[in-house]
Amino acid sequence: MSPILTPLLLLLSIILLIPTTRSTTTRSTTTTTTIVFTTLGRSRYNFDIFSTPLSSPPSSFQLTDGISVNFNGFFLPDSSLLFVSERNSSFNLYLLPPPSSSPHHRSTLQLLLSSPLLPSNPSFIDRPILFNDNLIYVSTHIPSSIPRQSWSSIYSTHLPTSTTLRLTPPNIADFSPSLSPSGLWTAVSSSGSHPWSGQVQDLFTDIYIFKTLDGSSRTLLIKHGAWPSWSSDGSTLFFHRSSSDGWWSIYCATLLFPSSSSPPFVSSITRVTPPGFHAFTPATSLSDPSTLAIATRRSTSHYRHIELIHLHNGVAVSYHEITRLISPNSHHFNPFISPDGSQLGYHRCRGRGDNGDPSLLLENINSPDPQSFSLFRIDGSFPSFSPSGDRIAYVGLPGLFVVNSDGSSPPLKIFDGNAFATAWDWKRPGVIYTSYGQDFATESTRVDIISVTLNEDDENGAPVIKKLTENGENNAFPSPSPDGESLVFRSGRSGHKNLYIMDSKLGENARLQRLTEGPWTDTMCNWSPDGDWIAFSSDRDNPGNGSFAIYMIHPNGTGLRKVVQSGNGGRANHPWFSPDSKRLAFTSDFAGVSAEPVANPHHYQPYGDIFTAAIDGSDIRRLTHNSYEDGTPTWAPISLEPANVPENLGAGDKCSFDDCHWLNVDNQVLPSAVC
Ligand SMILES: *[C@@H]1O[C@H](CO)[C@@H](O)[C@H](O)[C@H]1NC(C)=O
Ligand SMILES: *[C@@H]1O[C@H](CO)[C@@H](O)[C@H](O)[C@H]1NC(C)=O
Ligand SMILES: *[C@@H]1O[C@H](CO)[C@@H](O)[C@H](O)[C@H]1NC(C)=O
């Protein structure tokens, strides 16, 4: 069954789903506002793709160029490398040509999806495969119409014609595609028709297959499995699964094909890797059916490493460590093997081997609405702009920092404690409010609100710290009124976290008024620039069950209303008003999870993306697309040019991030993953 995909796809271009526009992005300079948000950990990733020859003793070569993050590679038969990169403000696919006679000239990257999808609609792109002239990949381009369903789906782009097809049915999420050796079938992990329901560790996907040509003959193959990888003869599918004994393990499904064109069925499933260590993200070799590359977490290392398994009749007969021998103190992700079996690829943090790529204070992200706002990721959490926009306060978890918005000053640490949330006074220059103490803590935990007043005459002069709350019972998320007189905050003083308003200069002893009251949590409040509203996040619909929606209330306690709820049991948090008080930016799980979390570093909430909505709850728009945790947006009335702002900082440690906390290797038995 030799594949003739190319001509067939040309015929099928009449069912073209996505028009491709070739446009050069001309950036508007009329942007009037700026949204800045946090992506937890992302500034530390600095991923590059490395390869290790499989025939000689382990040694590694950095293949990608040390710019941005480069990950999830795929080798072509001629040794070209296809990979994902977030350079130039959005995710895209790039092709690195094969090594020529002069390896130093191996630097011309080819951008593969020049504008495959609508340029004004950025998307996350992941897990590329090139087969004949067809790129198969994951994209979040088309929204799901089901709240909390992931937008990740499989697309196929025929490169010569730029014809793009969506292979996944509407409102279904597919991840992690793998092509059968003939190219006829694509296997994916999929949530099927069940929307995502809050899982963070194991997404509890099933493995489906469909025809690569057009997504037809879609068939459920394996319940509870993910990250499929076909063996070289197409008769076996390897995959990972979190086993009921708590260990992530590799499994092997034997496939039987009733005929050459009908989907296979599974005749048996066996577990390849035993309990005692975690094994995941399997990659087969097309030239050697007895070799499988996997990532592991073992108790013998604090890091995630790549190993080879030698198999006999689907049973692991030996394990061969690869990356622990080369780079023992790095996490290594998502192996892949070249078609001739000579090269093993994976990505890891490049450490300090930057190719002149500075670390960034503000990383420009393509704005879906460049006329209205520019969009940036900041290397910090809880950013907020000074009223004139010249400075940004943020927290470093720990520590409170101030930096010039143009990066022209090194960040200045103005408070040492575990601060979270920042907000500038609208009237008094250089006054910043924050809360300090344990975050994510109980009602009675000691957390206080302080104002930190910068010494505006002498920047080396010590800031003045003033404590505004007295009883210490979880007072947090201060937000000042535009007249500079009041501060709204949440407090656990009644035994429940509700909202209060106090005097912004003298604190609660001078004036304190309760704004909300009830046996639930109201938190993360933000006062509108026009003074009329306070937006906040609350679980009052179903207290304690983890579901948070965004509400608004007038400062005089009237007019309470729900603005945005993210599906049943969903989360919408950290609201922040637009400068005209007509919209809210917030973080939400409205678009589920965009990739298998086990294939990434640790994120507590890998579902977080930044959205905006009108204050009547209409017109919800997604701003960020990635597989990480985005949060704590702020929205400033200034026009920051959409370009990266380097960090005026000594070389920090760019590789300090954690592997998934739930890949526990110390306990013999782990509870199975729960929602
Ligand atoms: C990224 O953008 C810069 C400037 O806009 C451009 O010169 C460069 O070619 C782009 N790089 C890639 C790989 O597209
Ligand atoms: C409460 O405040 C809102 C706007 O801030 C105002 O429209 C409304 O009239 C006020 N209600 C009372 C009872 O004061
Ligand atoms: C939380 O409550 C909502 C609304 O009643 C419900 O739809 C959802 O399933 C609940 N979630 C959990 C995790 O209990």
PDB file of all heavy atoms in Angstrom, residues 176 189 202 205 207 224-228 238-242 248-251 279-282 596 598-599:
ATOM      1  N   SER A 176      -0.374  14.979  19.970  1.00  0.00           N
ATOM      2  CA  SER A 176       0.701  13.998  19.814  1.00  0.00           C
ATOM      3  C   SER A 176       0.503  13.035  18.649  1.00  0.00           C
ATOM      4  O   SER A 176       0.388  11.818  18.843  1.00  0.00           O
ATOM      5  CB  SER A 176       0.851  13.185  21.113  1.00  0.00           C
ATOM      6  OG  SER A 176       0.823  14.019  22.243  1.00  0.00           O
ATOM      7  N   SER A 189      -3.320  11.019  20.530  1.00  0.00           N
ATOM      8  CA  SER A 189      -4.018  10.933  21.813  1.00  0.00           C
ATOM      9  C   SER A 189      -5.168  11.919  21.730  1.00  0.00           C
ATOM     10  O   SER A 189      -4.993  13.028  21.247  1.00  0.00           O
ATOM     11  CB  SER A 189      -3.146  11.289  23.015  1.00  0.00           C
ATOM     12  OG  SER A 189      -1.871  11.707  22.712  1.00  0.00           O
ATOM     13  N   ASP A 202      -2.322  13.439  34.157  1.00  0.00           N
ATOM     14  CA  ASP A 202      -2.679  12.558  33.056  1.00  0.00           C
ATOM     15  C   ASP A 202      -3.971  13.116  32.464  1.00  0.00           C
ATOM     16  O   ASP A 202      -4.939  13.320  33.177  1.00  0.00           O
ATOM     17  CB  ASP A 202      -2.917  11.158  33.636  1.00  0.00           C
ATOM     18  CG  ASP A 202      -3.208  10.128  32.565  1.00  0.00           C
ATOM     19  OD1 ASP A 202      -3.374  10.508  31.389  1.00  0.00           O
ATOM     20  OD2 ASP A 202      -3.278   8.933  32.923  1.00  0.00           O
ATOM     21  N   THR A 205      -6.461  10.620  28.053  1.00  0.00           N
ATOM     22  CA  THR A 205      -6.842  10.536  26.648  1.00  0.00           C
ATOM     23  C   THR A 205      -6.911   9.071  26.222  1.00  0.00           C
ATOM     24  O   THR A 205      -6.396   8.179  26.898  1.00  0.00           O
ATOM     25  CB  THR A 205      -5.805  11.233  25.765  1.00  0.00           C
ATOM     26  OG1 THR A 205      -4.521  10.686  26.071  1.00  0.00           O
ATOM     27  CG2 THR A 205      -5.799  12.736  25.999  1.00  0.00           C
ATOM     28  N   ILE A 207      -6.361   6.582  22.546  1.00  0.00           N
ATOM     29  CA  ILE A 207      -5.651   6.665  21.268  1.00  0.00           C
ATOM     30  C   ILE A 207      -6.627   6.338  20.142  1.00  0.00           C
ATOM     31  O   ILE A 207      -7.309   5.306  20.173  1.00  0.00           O
ATOM     32  CB  ILE A 207      -4.417   5.743  21.256  1.00  0.00           C
ATOM     33  CG1 ILE A 207      -3.411   6.284  22.283  1.00  0.00           C
ATOM     34  CG2 ILE A 207      -3.795   5.685  19.858  1.00  0.00           C
ATOM     35  CD1 ILE A 207      -2.160   5.478  22.438  1.00  0.00           C
ATOM     36  N   HIS A 224      -7.402   4.870  27.345  1.00  0.00           N
ATOM     37  CA  HIS A 224      -6.381   5.373  28.266  1.00  0.00           C
ATOM     38  C   HIS A 224      -4.956   5.133  27.762  1.00  0.00           C
ATOM     39  O   HIS A 224      -4.249   4.218  28.202  1.00  0.00           O
ATOM     40  CB  HIS A 224      -6.544   4.777  29.675  1.00  0.00           C
ATOM     41  CG  HIS A 224      -5.648   5.464  30.671  1.00  0.00           C
ATOM     42  ND1 HIS A 224      -5.306   4.906  31.869  1.00  0.00           N
ATOM     43  CD2 HIS A 224      -5.016   6.657  30.622  1.00  0.00           C
ATOM     44  CE1 HIS A 224      -4.502   5.729  32.534  1.00  0.00           C
ATOM     45  NE2 HIS A 224      -4.312   6.800  31.789  1.00  0.00           N
ATOM     46  N   GLY A 225      -4.557   5.966  26.851  1.00  0.00           N
ATOM     47  CA  GLY A 225      -3.188   5.913  26.351  1.00  0.00           C
ATOM     48  C   GLY A 225      -2.874   7.233  25.687  1.00  0.00           C
ATOM     49  O   GLY A 225      -3.780   8.016  25.380  1.00  0.00           O
ATOM     50  N   ALA A 226      -1.597   7.509  25.484  1.00  0.00           N
ATOM     51  CA  ALA A 226      -1.192   8.776  24.887  1.00  0.00           C
ATOM     52  C   ALA A 226       0.184   8.627  24.251  1.00  0.00           C
ATOM     53  O   ALA A 226       0.851   7.607  24.427  1.00  0.00           O
ATOM     54  CB  ALA A 226      -1.184   9.878  25.941  1.00  0.00           C
ATOM     55  N   TRP A 227       0.583   9.644  23.496  1.00  0.00           N
ATOM     56  CA  TRP A 227       1.902   9.725  22.857  1.00  0.00           C
ATOM     57  C   TRP A 227       2.216   8.462  22.049  1.00  0.00           C
ATOM     58  O   TRP A 227       3.207   7.773  22.283  1.00  0.00           O
ATOM     59  CB  TRP A 227       2.988   9.969  23.918  1.00  0.00           C
ATOM     60  CG  TRP A 227       4.215  10.622  23.384  1.00  0.00           C
ATOM     61  CD1 TRP A 227       5.284   9.991  22.791  1.00  0.00           C
ATOM     62  CD2 TRP A 227       4.554  12.012  23.386  1.00  0.00           C
ATOM     63  NE1 TRP A 227       6.241  10.907  22.425  1.00  0.00           N
ATOM     64  CE2 TRP A 227       5.813  12.157  22.784  1.00  0.00           C
ATOM     65  CE3 TRP A 227       3.888  13.155  23.845  1.00  0.00           C
ATOM     66  CZ2 TRP A 227       6.433  13.390  22.631  1.00  0.00           C
ATOM     67  CZ3 TRP A 227       4.512  14.377  23.693  1.00  0.00           C
ATOM     68  CH2 TRP A 227       5.769  14.487  23.092  1.00  0.00           C
ATOM     69  N   PRO A 228       1.348   8.110  21.066  1.00  0.00           N
ATOM     70  CA  PRO A 228       1.595   6.896  20.290  1.00  0.00           C
ATOM     71  C   PRO A 228       2.835   7.018  19.409  1.00  0.00           C
ATOM     72  O   PRO A 228       3.221   8.117  19.007  1.00  0.00           O
ATOM     73  CB  PRO A 228       0.336   6.790  19.416  1.00  0.00           C
ATOM     74  CG  PRO A 228      -0.157   8.201  19.291  1.00  0.00           C
ATOM     75  CD  PRO A 228       0.170   8.854  20.607  1.00  0.00           C
ATOM     76  N   PHE A 238       3.506   1.705  20.146  1.00  0.00           N
ATOM     77  CA  PHE A 238       3.959   1.958  21.512  1.00  0.00           C
ATOM     78  C   PHE A 238       3.270   3.228  22.004  1.00  0.00           C
ATOM     79  O   PHE A 238       2.974   4.128  21.224  1.00  0.00           O
ATOM     80  CB  PHE A 238       5.475   2.117  21.550  1.00  0.00           C
ATOM     81  CG  PHE A 238       6.201   0.839  21.239  1.00  0.00           C
ATOM     82  CD1 PHE A 238       6.539   0.514  19.927  1.00  0.00           C
ATOM     83  CD2 PHE A 238       6.527  -0.054  22.246  1.00  0.00           C
ATOM     84  CE1 PHE A 238       7.183  -0.674  19.631  1.00  0.00           C
ATOM     85  CE2 PHE A 238       7.177  -1.251  21.961  1.00  0.00           C
ATOM     86  CZ  PHE A 238       7.503  -1.563  20.646  1.00  0.00           C
ATOM     87  N   PHE A 239       3.032   3.306  23.305  1.00  0.00           N
ATOM     88  CA  PHE A 239       2.414   4.511  23.871  1.00  0.00           C
ATOM     89  C   PHE A 239       2.730   4.573  25.350  1.00  0.00           C
ATOM     90  O   PHE A 239       3.295   3.632  25.915  1.00  0.00           O
ATOM     91  CB  PHE A 239       0.897   4.509  23.624  1.00  0.00           C
ATOM     92  CG  PHE A 239       0.147   3.352  24.240  1.00  0.00           C
ATOM     93  CD1 PHE A 239      -0.497   3.492  25.468  1.00  0.00           C
ATOM     94  CD2 PHE A 239       0.073   2.119  23.599  1.00  0.00           C
ATOM     95  CE1 PHE A 239      -1.196   2.432  26.046  1.00  0.00           C
ATOM     96  CE2 PHE A 239      -0.616   1.053  24.166  1.00  0.00           C
ATOM     97  CZ  PHE A 239      -1.252   1.208  25.385  1.00  0.00           C
ATOM     98  N   HIS A 240       2.424   5.705  25.986  1.00  0.00           N
ATOM     99  CA  HIS A 240       2.590   5.772  27.438  1.00  0.00           C
ATOM    100  C   HIS A 240       1.228   5.932  28.116  1.00  0.00           C
ATOM    101  O   HIS A 240       0.247   6.322  27.497  1.00  0.00           O
ATOM    102  CB  HIS A 240       3.599   6.852  27.872  1.00  0.00           C
ATOM    103  CG  HIS A 240       3.208   8.271  27.578  1.00  0.00           C
ATOM    104  ND1 HIS A 240       4.136   9.270  27.327  1.00  0.00           N
ATOM    105  CD2 HIS A 240       1.996   8.897  27.511  1.00  0.00           C
ATOM    106  CE1 HIS A 240       3.498  10.420  27.123  1.00  0.00           C
ATOM    107  NE2 HIS A 240       2.218  10.223  27.224  1.00  0.00           N
ATOM    108  N   ARG A 241       1.243   5.632  29.395  1.00  0.00           N
ATOM    109  CA  ARG A 241       0.017   5.648  30.182  1.00  0.00           C
ATOM    110  C   ARG A 241       0.465   5.742  31.643  1.00  0.00           C
ATOM    111  O   ARG A 241       1.521   5.212  31.997  1.00  0.00           O
ATOM    112  CB  ARG A 241      -0.718   4.339  29.897  1.00  0.00           C
ATOM    113  CG  ARG A 241      -1.784   3.949  30.874  1.00  0.00           C
ATOM    114  CD  ARG A 241      -2.245   2.513  30.644  1.00  0.00           C
ATOM    115  NE  ARG A 241      -3.092   2.323  29.479  1.00  0.00           N
ATOM    116  CZ  ARG A 241      -3.526   1.124  29.066  1.00  0.00           C
ATOM    117  NH1 ARG A 241      -3.148   0.014  29.706  1.00  0.00           N
ATOM    118  NH2 ARG A 241      -4.298   1.023  28.012  1.00  0.00           N
ATOM    119  N   SER A 242      -0.288   6.420  32.493  1.00  0.00           N
ATOM    120  CA  SER A 242       0.026   6.354  33.923  1.00  0.00           C
ATOM    121  C   SER A 242      -0.666   5.108  34.458  1.00  0.00           C
ATOM    122  O   SER A 242      -1.884   4.987  34.414  1.00  0.00           O
ATOM    123  CB  SER A 242      -0.434   7.622  34.651  1.00  0.00           C
ATOM    124  OG  SER A 242      -1.830   7.729  34.640  1.00  0.00           O
ATOM    125  N   TRP A 248       4.282   5.940  35.488  1.00  0.00           N
ATOM    126  CA  TRP A 248       4.101   6.120  34.050  1.00  0.00           C
ATOM    127  C   TRP A 248       4.940   5.060  33.354  1.00  0.00           C
ATOM    128  O   TRP A 248       6.117   4.877  33.684  1.00  0.00           O
ATOM    129  CB  TRP A 248       4.566   7.516  33.611  1.00  0.00           C
ATOM    130  CG  TRP A 248       3.582   8.573  33.963  1.00  0.00           C
ATOM    131  CD1 TRP A 248       3.340   9.073  35.205  1.00  0.00           C
ATOM    132  CD2 TRP A 248       2.698   9.252  33.072  1.00  0.00           C
ATOM    133  NE1 TRP A 248       2.348  10.031  35.130  1.00  0.00           N
ATOM    134  CE2 TRP A 248       1.946  10.163  33.829  1.00  0.00           C
ATOM    135  CE3 TRP A 248       2.472   9.183  31.689  1.00  0.00           C
ATOM    136  CZ2 TRP A 248       0.981  10.993  33.268  1.00  0.00           C
ATOM    137  CZ3 TRP A 248       1.527  10.015  31.130  1.00  0.00           C
ATOM    138  CH2 TRP A 248       0.783  10.909  31.924  1.00  0.00           C
ATOM    139  N   SER A 249       4.347   4.364  32.396  1.00  0.00           N
ATOM    140  CA  SER A 249       5.059   3.257  31.761  1.00  0.00           C
ATOM    141  C   SER A 249       4.771   3.225  30.274  1.00  0.00           C
ATOM    142  O   SER A 249       3.777   3.774  29.803  1.00  0.00           O
ATOM    143  CB  SER A 249       4.624   1.919  32.374  1.00  0.00           C
ATOM    144  OG  SER A 249       4.822   1.947  33.765  1.00  0.00           O
ATOM    145  N   ILE A 250       5.675   2.547  29.564  1.00  0.00           N
ATOM    146  CA  ILE A 250       5.492   2.346  28.135  1.00  0.00           C
ATOM    147  C   ILE A 250       4.695   1.054  27.941  1.00  0.00           C
ATOM    148  O   ILE A 250       4.950   0.047  28.606  1.00  0.00           O
ATOM    149  CB  ILE A 250       6.862   2.209  27.419  1.00  0.00           C
ATOM    150  CG1 ILE A 250       7.788   3.373  27.786  1.00  0.00           C
ATOM    151  CG2 ILE A 250       6.669   2.083  25.909  1.00  0.00           C
ATOM    152  CD1 ILE A 250       7.306   4.737  27.394  1.00  0.00           C
ATOM    153  N   TYR A 251       3.754   1.111  27.034  1.00  0.00           N
ATOM    154  CA  TYR A 251       2.949  -0.053  26.678  1.00  0.00           C
ATOM    155  C   TYR A 251       3.075  -0.297  25.186  1.00  0.00           C
ATOM    156  O   TYR A 251       3.470   0.603  24.430  1.00  0.00           O
ATOM    157  CB  TYR A 251       1.478   0.185  27.043  1.00  0.00           C
ATOM    158  CG  TYR A 251       1.224   0.153  28.528  1.00  0.00           C
ATOM    159  CD1 TYR A 251       1.549   1.254  29.327  1.00  0.00           C
ATOM    160  CD2 TYR A 251       0.671  -0.973  29.147  1.00  0.00           C
ATOM    161  CE1 TYR A 251       1.328   1.225  30.696  1.00  0.00           C
ATOM    162  CE2 TYR A 251       0.443  -1.000  30.522  1.00  0.00           C
ATOM    163  CZ  TYR A 251       0.781   0.100  31.285  1.00  0.00           C
ATOM    164  OH  TYR A 251       0.569   0.068  32.639  1.00  0.00           O
ATOM    165  N   ALA A 279       8.492   5.958  32.863  1.00  0.00           N
ATOM    166  CA  ALA A 279       8.959   5.941  31.474  1.00  0.00           C
ATOM    167  C   ALA A 279       7.840   6.506  30.619  1.00  0.00           C
ATOM    168  O   ALA A 279       6.673   6.155  30.796  1.00  0.00           O
ATOM    169  CB  ALA A 279       9.294   4.514  31.052  1.00  0.00           C
ATOM    170  N   PHE A 280       8.189   7.421  29.718  1.00  0.00           N
ATOM    171  CA  PHE A 280       7.136   8.061  28.926  1.00  0.00           C
ATOM    172  C   PHE A 280       7.736   8.596  27.630  1.00  0.00           C
ATOM    173  O   PHE A 280       8.934   8.489  27.400  1.00  0.00           O
ATOM    174  CB  PHE A 280       6.460   9.182  29.732  1.00  0.00           C
ATOM    175  CG  PHE A 280       7.390   9.956  30.613  1.00  0.00           C
ATOM    176  CD1 PHE A 280       8.113  11.008  30.107  1.00  0.00           C
ATOM    177  CD2 PHE A 280       7.577   9.590  31.944  1.00  0.00           C
ATOM    178  CE1 PHE A 280       8.997  11.704  30.903  1.00  0.00           C
ATOM    179  CE2 PHE A 280       8.468  10.285  32.749  1.00  0.00           C
ATOM    180  CZ  PHE A 280       9.179  11.349  32.231  1.00  0.00           C
ATOM    181  N   THR A 281       6.884   9.167  26.790  1.00  0.00           N
ATOM    182  CA  THR A 281       7.225   9.732  25.479  1.00  0.00           C
ATOM    183  C   THR A 281       8.081   8.797  24.622  1.00  0.00           C
ATOM    184  O   THR A 281       9.197   9.131  24.232  1.00  0.00           O
ATOM    185  CB  THR A 281       7.918  11.123  25.629  1.00  0.00           C
ATOM    186  OG1 THR A 281       9.113  10.978  26.391  1.00  0.00           O
ATOM    187  CG2 THR A 281       6.999  12.124  26.265  1.00  0.00           C
ATOM    188  N   PRO A 282       7.544   7.588  24.291  1.00  0.00           N
ATOM    189  CA  PRO A 282       8.319   6.643  23.490  1.00  0.00           C
ATOM    190  C   PRO A 282       8.501   7.119  22.050  1.00  0.00           C
ATOM    191  O   PRO A 282       7.629   7.789  21.495  1.00  0.00           O
ATOM    192  CB  PRO A 282       7.440   5.384  23.517  1.00  0.00           C
ATOM    193  CG  PRO A 282       6.047   5.901  23.689  1.00  0.00           C
ATOM    194  CD  PRO A 282       6.183   7.100  24.594  1.00  0.00           C
ATOM    195  N   GLU A 596       0.206  17.456  25.966  1.00  0.00           N
ATOM    196  CA  GLU A 596       0.287  16.529  27.086  1.00  0.00           C
ATOM    197  C   GLU A 596       1.230  17.103  28.151  1.00  0.00           C
ATOM    198  O   GLU A 596       2.415  17.308  27.867  1.00  0.00           O
ATOM    199  CB  GLU A 596       0.810  15.180  26.602  1.00  0.00           C
ATOM    200  CG  GLU A 596      -0.131  14.438  25.699  1.00  0.00           C
ATOM    201  CD  GLU A 596       0.346  13.001  25.461  1.00  0.00           C
ATOM    202  OE1 GLU A 596       0.865  12.372  26.400  1.00  0.00           O
ATOM    203  OE2 GLU A 596       0.205  12.526  24.325  1.00  0.00           O
ATOM    204  N   VAL A 598       2.845  15.838  30.541  1.00  0.00           N
ATOM    205  CA  VAL A 598       4.013  15.025  30.887  1.00  0.00           C
ATOM    206  C   VAL A 598       5.195  15.311  29.955  1.00  0.00           C
ATOM    207  O   VAL A 598       6.337  15.022  30.277  1.00  0.00           O
ATOM    208  CB  VAL A 598       3.648  13.513  30.885  1.00  0.00           C
ATOM    209  CG1 VAL A 598       3.425  12.996  29.468  1.00  0.00           C
ATOM    210  CG2 VAL A 598       4.702  12.685  31.604  1.00  0.00           C
ATOM    211  N   ALA A 599       4.945  15.927  28.808  1.00  0.00           N
ATOM    212  CA  ALA A 599       6.011  16.222  27.846  1.00  0.00           C
ATOM    213  C   ALA A 599       6.619  17.602  28.061  1.00  0.00           C
ATOM    214  O   ALA A 599       7.423  18.057  27.256  1.00  0.00           O
ATOM    215  CB  ALA A 599       5.459  16.111  26.424  1.00  0.00           C
TER     216      ALA A 599
END
